[in-house]
């Protein structure tokens, strides 16, 4: 059984999809040990509470886009106390750097709303739309010290329609996110993921 810690700053729909997949036994061999948010009233915390999953608001510096210093240590302490094997970033809007990466080497996984390496950073679905891309999508990847740059585990493409708005495109991308993220968790629980340099081999 692998224990997962989920970090999120917002709505928590990816967290909810994973929790639901665990509850319905679509995912076997994984449990969510703790949900942590850097946003006090984030919906992800309410969702965790409603499901009876331990959850915690741990403040992080308002003026920083990364997690570091004392606050990073608070996150590491909470995750270690919960005995987590893997950390899932489900809409966590801060960069993950040295300390936490060293504490959980190759154990941190992020979902990004674009077909990486295209459109890293923020509001990636909007970046794809504004750029005129014909396909957008989502990527699940290991986290390294760069921005959205770690080895890719899974991707799903979504066609961009002429009448898409940022909202309609993001909504279709999220449908795919809620499919591929639980699948990746199952692969991890089954020990089926191997990293060879930049490449992730499955099976
Ligand atoms: C998701 O679309 C996720 O890909 C994105 O935030 C959203 C969170 O939604 N993440 C990033 O942009 C990370 N840079 P959720 O809170 O409903 O799961």
């Amino acid at each position: 059984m692998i224990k997962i810690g989920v970090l999120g700053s917002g709505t928590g729909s990816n967290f909810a999809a994973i929790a639901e997949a665990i509850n319905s036994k679509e995912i076997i061999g994984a449990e969510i040990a703790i949900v942590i948010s850097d946003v006090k009233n984030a919906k992800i915390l309410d969702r965790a509470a409603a499901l009876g999953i331990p959850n915690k608001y741990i403040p992080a510096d308002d003026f920083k886009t990364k997690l570091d210093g004392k606050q990073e240590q608070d996150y590491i302490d909470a995750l270690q106390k919960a005995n987590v094997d893997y950390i899932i970033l489900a809409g966590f809007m801060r960069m993950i750097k040295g300390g936490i990466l060293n504490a959980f080497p190759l154990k941190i996984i992020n979902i990004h709303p674009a077909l990486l390496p295209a459109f890293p950073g923020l509001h990636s679905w909007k970046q794809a739309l504004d750029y005129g891309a014909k396909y957008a999508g989502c990527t699940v990847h290991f986290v390294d010290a760069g921005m959205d740059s770690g080895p890719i585990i899974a991707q799903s493409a979504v066609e961009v329609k002429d009448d898409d708005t940022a909202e309609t495109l993001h909504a279709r991308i999220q449908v795919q996110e809620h499919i591929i993220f639980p699948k990746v968790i199952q692969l991890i629980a089954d020990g089926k993921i191997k990293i060879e340099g930049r490449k992730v081999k499955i099976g």
Side-chain angles (χ1 to χ4, degrees):
M1 178 72 72
I2 59 161
K3 286 192 174 201
I4 296 169
V6 178
L7 307 189
S9 308
T11 321
S13 69
N14 278 285
F15 154 70
I18 292 165
E20 231 167 72
I22 289 173
N23 279 345
S24 67
K25 307 236 179 319
E26 188 195 317
I27 295 176
I28 293 171
E31 68 173 286
I32 299 174
I34 190 164
V35 175
I36 306 176
S37 183
D38 58 331
V39 175
K40 191 160 191 198
N41 297 313
K43 194 170 168 198
I44 191 170
L45 294 176
D46 297 337
R47 283 182 135 148
L51 291 167
I53 295 174
N55 60 92
K56 211 171 155 92
Y57 158 60
I58 304 184
D61 199 316
D62 276 351
F63 304 105
K64 285 189 183 163
T65 53
K66 65 180 177 181
L67 190 60
D68 62 0
K70 153 95 175 68
Q71 287 133 356
E72 181 187 53
Q73 194 56 49
D74 293 344
Y75 275 74
I76 294 171
D77 290 347
L79 291 159
Q80 285 177 338
K81 200 168 158 211
N83 276 318
V84 312
D85 303 297
Y86 283 87
I87 299 171
I88 299 298
L89 306 183
F92 190 63
M93 302 313 278
R94 284 173 198 269
M95 292 271 292
I96 296 288
K97 290 285 188 182
I100 195 162
L101 280 176
N102 290 338
F104 296 92
L106 293 175
K107 302 283 186 198
I108 308 180
I109 292 161
N110 180 46
I111 186 137
H112 182 77
L115 294 174
L116 292 170
F119 311 122
L122 293 177
H123 304 116
S124 305
W125 60 90
K126 189 167 183 309
Q127 291 187 51
L129 189 66
D130 292 347
Y131 193 86
K134 296 296 185 194
Y135 284 90
C138 50
T139 302
V140 178
H141 65 94
F142 284 103
V143 175
D144 65 10
M147 187 168 64
D148 303 321
S149 58
I152 291 171
I153 305 169
Q155 293 186 301
S156 184
V158 165
E159 204 167 340
V160 180
K161 296 180 181 168
D162 286 345
D163 60 353
D164 259 331
T165 62
E167 290 71 32
T168 58
L169 181 57
H170 190 208
R172 287 207 313 290
I173 291 170
Q174 287 218 290
V175 171
Q176 295 305 310
E177 292 186 338
H178 301 160
I179 295 170
I180 66 170
F181 219 174
K183 277 190 183 159
V184 167
I185 310 275
Q186 184 63 68
L187 290 171
I188 289 167
D190 290 343
K192 285 194 173 155
I193 292 186
K194 307 253 173 321
I195 308 176
E196 293 175 13
R198 271 218 60 86
K199 293 190 184 154
V200 173
K201 304 261 169 82
I202 292 167

